Amino acid sequence: MDHLQKEQFMKEAIKEAEKARALGEVPIGAVVVLDGEIIGRGHNERETTNDATTHAEMLAIRDANRTLQNWRLEDAELFVTLEPCPMCSGAIILSRVKKVYYGAPDQKAGTAGTLMNLLEDERFNHQAAIETGILEEECRELLQSFFRELRKKRKEENRKHLRRPQSD
C-alpha cells in the first residue's frame, strides 16, 4: 500500500472521529481495510452507550466481522486515529488483524509502542505489524482541540455556577 492510499484510509478514520466529536465523544475513529476496501467502520461511543468496550477499534472490528461473517481478519489492516489501548490491542490480536496504522501516539494508554507493545509481542499466538505517524498532526489536533473546548466549556460552567446568587 502506498503512502497516498494510507493517508486516504486515515482520512476515513478521521471522518469517523468527527462523528464521535459530533456526539460529544472523544474524537477517535477507525476503519478496517481488506484488499483496498473498507469493510468495517467505528468511532468512539463510550459516553453514548455507557459501555467501556465501545472504542472505535472495537466497533470497526465488529463491523468487519459482520461484513465478512468471520471472526478472523487475517489479511485486514486497521487504521485508527489514536494508538490502541490494551483492550483494543487485545481485540486486534484475537481477530488476527495483519497490520495497524495509527495517527497519534497515546501517552496514557498506548500499547502499540508507547507504554508497551502488545501488538508485536511474540509471546502471543498472533502479531500485528505497526506503522505510526499517518496524518499524525491532524489526528493529534483533533484530540487536542476537543479537550481544549471541553476544558473551556467546563471552566465557563464553573464560573456560571459561582456567580449564581445564594438563596437564604
Side-chain angles (χ1 to χ4, degrees):
M1 185 176 299
D2 67 30
H3 190 72
L4 216 53
Q5 288 173 305
K6 292 173 191 174
E7 285 190 354
Q8 174 193 339
F9 290 124
M10 189 59 77
K11 284 178 182 175
E12 290 297 318
I14 290 170
K15 285 180 187 176
E16 289 297 317
E18 292 287 359
K19 291 177 187 177
R21 183 184 201 133
L23 295 170
E25 298 275 358
V26 176
I28 302 167
V31 295
V32 178
V33 175
L34 181 65
D35 298 328
E37 295 207 20
I38 295 173
I39 61 165
R41 293 179 172 272
H43 53 272
N44 196 25
E45 294 183 16
R46 234 176 13 175
E47 300 298 327
T48 304
T49 62
N50 288 313
D51 181 346
T53 68
T54 54
H55 287 197
E57 302 96 318
M58 300 293 285
L59 296 174
I61 287 169
R62 288 178 192 158
D63 192 30
N65 293 146
R66 281 191 297 272
T67 299
L68 295 181
Q69 292 295 293
N70 194 334
W71 63 269
R72 290 180 185 89
L73 302 174
E74 290 169 337
D75 293 318
E77 298 172 305
L78 177 79
F79 289 78
V80 61
T81 56
L82 183 67
E83 180 180 1
C85 72
M87 173 182 66
C88 294
S89 290
I92 289 163
I93 292 165
L94 293 173
S95 63
R96 300 196 175 125
V97 168
K98 180 180 177 180
K99 188 166 185 176
V100 174
Y101 301 88
Y102 69 83
D106 185 347
Q107 303 300 324
K108 295 181 180 178
T111 56
T114 298
L115 297 180
M116 64 184 68
N117 189 339
L118 292 177
L119 297 180
E120 294 179 326
D121 191 318
E122 293 181 1
R123 293 174 293 179
F124 293 114
N125 69 335
H126 175 79
Q127 292 79 44
I130 301 167
E131 188 171 329
T132 66
I134 309 295
L135 299 179
E136 181 175 350
E137 270 311 306
E138 292 89 329
C139 294
R140 180 183 289 121
E141 178 54 30
L142 187 62
L143 287 159
Q144 288 176 340
S145 66
F146 173 80
F147 286 111
R148 261 195 311 271
E149 290 168 18
L150 188 63
R151 283 189 296 273
K152 183 180 173 187
K153 185 178 173 184
R154 285 184 179 158
K155 202 175 202 179
E156 288 169 3
E157 287 172 0
N158 286 340
R159 275 194 216 125
K160 285 178 188 175
H161 180 71
L162 292 174
R163 284 191 210 142
R164 287 190 185 138
Q166 298 288 329
S167 58
D168 296 313

